[in-house]
Every structure is written in C-alpha cells, then in structure tokens.
Amino acid sequence: MSTSTSHKRGSHHRGAHGGGGGSEGGGGGGGGGGGGPLIKVAFARNQSEAEMLQGLLSEEGIPSVLKRSGGFDNPDFLAAGPHDVYVVQALAERAKEVLAETLIDSESEERTEIEEQRRLARGETGQTSAGRLAFWVGTAFLGAIALVWVLYQLS
C-alpha cells in the first residue's frame, strides 16, 4: 500500500485560510480582507445600484462587500431586492464621506419607498380606484332595488 507524503500527520501547514502564525498581522477577519469587523455604510434598492456604490468606493481605493438586506436574503430574488454595502471598520468613515457626495436619500426614506413599491405591486394603493368604487355603488344600488322588490312582494 502506498502512502502519501503530503497528508502525513504534522506536515499540513495553514496557508491562504490564515492562522499560520508568522508576521502576517493576525487578528483580522476571515477571507484575507485586511481584518476588522465589517460596518454597513450604504443601502441600495437593488444589486445594480449596490454595485454602482461599490464601484465608487473602489475608485477611492476602499474595498467593500455587498450583502442582501435582512428579509431579502433569498436566492429567488436574484439581483432584485435591497442590498447593504459593508466596509472594514477602519475605512468606514472615509467610505461614508465618499458616498455622502453621491447619496441624497437616507436609508429610512429608501425603505419607505421600497415598502410603497411593494404595496403598489400587490394592488394596495390606499385609495379606492374609480372602477372599484363604481362596482360597489352599483352593487349597493342593485341590492337596494332587490330589497324594495322583496318588501313590495311581501305587502
């Protein structure tokens, strides 16, 4: 039976996944992104808008990560649905400054607008349409005529 020298006990060294000791900085976050916790710096309505914000940050030398917003982390949404833009904590203030020149709406305004679009898509406008109003007025009128006819027949 042949043996492999690459999988002998004690011969495996940690590489790109970190933890190898040495003078690589250590203590950072996973993935080799420079370390530190990620901070949310922006909110976008869809993936295209989020990628545009990510591009603006990239032009300023600020690496970023995109993630679907809570409640929308579902593969069925594909590129649709709101996304959050994250950067490492050390670059968060600079990223907010860069994006402040571009962004004009606050996150709460964006979320309100998304909820409004969702309600409109479901047909919940908050106002009665003319067609719906005409239907119910007609139904009430026919009901009144039927009631009068029944009362006339009973008397």
Side-chain angles (χ1 to χ4, degrees), residues 19-87:
S23 61
E24 297 177 30
L38 294 175
I39 305 295
K40 179 179 166 184
V41 294
F43 171 83
R45 290 183 237 184
N46 54 47
Q47 186 174 352
S48 299
E49 188 175 310
E51 288 175 349
M52 182 198 68
L53 296 175
Q54 191 176 36
L56 290 171
L57 292 172
S58 180
E59 286 178 0
E60 296 295 322
I62 302 171
S64 60
V65 176
L66 302 181
K67 183 177 183 240
R68 287 189 186 111
S69 296
F72 290 89
D73 196 12
N74 183 335
D76 293 338
F77 283 117
L78 298 174
H83 286 63
D84 297 325
V85 181
Y86 290 88
V87 299

Side-chain angles (χ1 to χ4, degrees), residues 5-27:
T5 58
S6 64
H7 291 129
K8 288 184 180 177
R9 279 192 186 192
S11 68
H12 181 74
H13 296 285
R14 300 192 80 162
H17 300 292
S23 61
E24 297 177 30

Side-chain angles (χ1 to χ4, degrees), residues 119-142:
R119 276 198 333 252
L120 289 174
R122 290 188 303 233
E124 300 172 10
T125 61
Q127 298 177 354
T128 304
S129 68
R132 184 174 287 173
L133 180 62
F135 170 77
W136 286 113
V137 168
T139 302
F141 181 71
L142 290 175

